[in-house]
Amino acid sequence: MAFLGIAVRRVANCHLSLSPLCSSATRSRCYSTSPSPEHTTEKSVPYKNVLKVEEGGSGPTKPLPKSAGAVVIGGGSLGCQTVYHLAKMGMTNVVLLERDRLTAGTTWHTAGLLWQLRPSDVEVELLAHTRQVVSHDLEQETGLETGWIQNGGLFIASNKQRLDEYKRLMSLGKVYGIESHVLSPAETKDLYPLMNVDDLYGTLYVPKDGTMDPAGTCTTLSRAAAARGATVIENCPVTGIQVSTDDLGVKRVKAVETAHGIIQTPVVVNCAGVWATKLGKMAGVKVPLVAMHHAYVVTERIEGIQNMPNVRDHDASVYLRLQGDALSVGGYEPNPVFWDKVSDAFAFSLFDLDWDVFIQHIEGAINRVPALEQTGIKSTVCGPESFTADHKPLMGEAPEVRGFFLGCGFNSAGMMLGGGCGRELAHWIIHGRPEKDMYGYDIRRFHQSLTDNSRWIRERSHESYAKNYSVVFPFDEPLASRNMRTDPFHKVAPVWSLVLDYDWYGAYDISRNQNYKYNKLLGEEYTFDYPPHHHLIKNECLTCRHGVTVFNMSYFGKFYLTGPDAKKAADWLFSADVRKVPGSTVYTCMLNQRGGSEADLTVSRLEAGASNLPLTPESNGDAYYLAIGGGVAEHNWNHIRTVLQDESFNCQLTDHSEDMGMISIQGPKSREVLQEILETDLSNGAFPFSTHKVCSAAGHKVRAMRLSFVGELGWELHIPKDSCLPVYRAVMAAGAKHGIINAGYRAIDSLSIEKGYRHWHADLRPDDTPLEAGLAFTCKLKSTVPFLGRASLEKQKADGLHRRIVCFTIEEKVPMFGLEAIYRNGIPVGHLRRSDYGFYIDKQIGYGYIRNPDGGVVSTDFIKSGKFTLERMGVVYEAKAHLKSPFDPSNNRVKGIYPNDLGTHCL
């Protein structure tokens, strides 16, 4: 009999041959101790419902149609969920093509776990939909069982920080009605008698978590889709994607090629898993993922394990999945094996298990369930999975080709995210956008310069894999592939000399970076308390409020919109009225058809004239300069370009983000500093708020804008790249006598939430309208000018707001970061989207959207009459709701009007 305990000792002792560990059921498979390029052909799937693999299949299981509304490629979890939801939404002429049999790629060997709680409100909603589909909808529609087992889930905490993380999940879960319980070690032992609880700090138990059967689920999905008119064709590999270029030069999907015929279609959905990169290349689309070996072992029978919940011991990097009267044991290791030569012939296949890599999971499993030491190994499962740079899927329409959609890169979570993501992807295809905020999964979250950078993809994907079970801290930062994009101020940035090449966390015999100061600084920030550098952020914030600071905002996107239809395009794209005189700057949103906020940005109207790039584009008519938050610049670029294409506007969008830097000088003393170096009058009369002009700064031409993202008197300087350092040095020299300092983005987070300014993708998302977000002033509803999303906003305004953002403050100095539950009169009505400390008002501030639990309008009276509390990690705090920002609600400071302690008026 081969026991897990023996496996641990043998690998520890001189790496002895491991083949004797195999039980009789698996003794024919050789377990190598080094990565093998070969794969085993023996199928050892630990599921009772296994798809039958027919031998000798020589052609498609159904005739190919000549055309289709959409062709989904890949018959795994995402492919089956997507075609099911497309059919359910009414697209009956949809085809799914699978090169072998359904689930043959990566889905068939997945563990099939479903955990309901994640540190993301969107993911909680996606998981809830998957659970609904698998545990209820499919069986009701088809009469077939999917193999769903509701045996519960147990998260293990070996330290306080880990339990704090779980308590955060518990508080968020209450908003969504997800039952969960924090258990003591003794209570955990009562629930799971075989567990070692001696080293436990506590656990989180979620009774309605469970386990899915990949084969049963995908079979039922395909039958349900077929019953609604979809066509599922197996044994039909795709050999090519035809792409055409229209009259405007836009590339669009035209057809899918196979050895058995061509299907004309305007939409292709890439659900090909680890093969998605190759499929993307057929259409000229970059798919930034890597393939890795991912493994688990299945034990022999364990007495007393029946009906136990699934277990995730994150600190030991191991999961234990109930497998009838046995367990599946797996996890995430720091040294995963890359699969660099992805084979098309790999179907229902497995790799040899590398015990040197896998053995760490066995050690963790034996510590948690000691009975495993004397338990045999029934089978091993080591198959390929696809992983991405941030451990999030790749979804949405590809930037390179219209009609080419991605549904891949699911980081071994394709089964549990499949239902929610399949529905969102189907909505995306049919309606042009998803229902939920899917930016975190959208391929457009990555800058186009990185999506084919193999070093970036490989290093970041490795780090994301290795840290998958790490505590999710609010200020987590990657160490891999730093400095791959730099701005003109890079060499004077405080941390420039601190960042070292990625050391792979010591894996693959690579030496760890020693005395790595940047790593040490990041590690100190990993806390659910106020971080050790809290006092430094406080100093930056209060210096901005009382004096003057400089923020490097060069990461912003900087685009020009020009051409004959630029005015028409601007009217349609931007919710605010940008029909202003040249020299004006307007803060605005860009919306989708449902009125959701795809972006917030500033739009500056330019004078017509000759080109003087990068500061001024050539234009004989209307021209606009767009400044957009840098993290979302790629998303914004593609949104604008898509709208221009869909509306056939004759204008040009040009990107000069890399040609210019940008610094923002903010605070009551900013005018005194800048007046020394800018050769223009900075008084209110000559240079009012929300205006801009090209002027000279220390002998260099810049575009100066009087704007603020922190609620103070201030200017932004948009500077050609070669002039950035001279201008910056001149600003710092002029500001020295005023105590000028550099400040970072964490200070911007605090200052902006204190003022009530929105952060896109936090307080403002594609599923939030400007009316709900308190940004009605950005919408030209009083005009007659049509704009994208206007009809939806008009309807929402007429019907009343059923959700809206509210500002909360608490008296206790308790750190919050977002996801905390909001209660009104003891009933959960929402959760915080963002929270930070406001150093000027000396309070913790949070913003979150609330709903009326009766489904009614969220009126001013509803807010004023309620007693609000916030729940953080299971502890409830009284909160005060504010209809306006508690900081400078009259906006005096941005006008240069300051209290006496700051020198009266700075006019």
Side-chain angles (χ1 to χ4, degrees), residues 505-552:
Y505 289 83
Y508 315 119
D509 296 323
I510 296 171
S511 299
R512 292 297 307 263
N513 289 322
Q514 300 299 312
N515 301 315
Y516 191 3
K517 186 175 180 181
Y518 185 65
N519 190 11
K520 180 176 180 293
L521 289 172
L522 289 182
E524 292 171 355
E525 295 290 292
Y526 295 161
T527 176
F528 292 115
D529 202 343
Y530 291 120
H533 303 110
H534 197 58
H535 64 290
L536 299 177
I537 301 167
K538 176 181 180 179
N539 179 59
E540 293 175 5
C541 291
L542 294 183
T543 300
C544 183
R545 293 284 186 234
H546 297 288
V548 59
T549 54
V550 178
F551 300 93
N552 177 13

Side-chain angles (χ1 to χ4, degrees), residues 21 40 77 110 123 162 176 233 245 321 431 441 458 468 496 608 655 730 755 770 782:
L21 294 178
T40 62
S77 172
T110 189
E123 288 192 359
R162 184 67 77 177
Y176 291 97
I233 304 175
T245 303
R321 173 200 186 274
H431 300 287
Y441 291 6
R458 196 174 181 87
N468 183 44
W496 174 71
D655 185 356
K755 177 57 183 164
K782 292 182 180 179

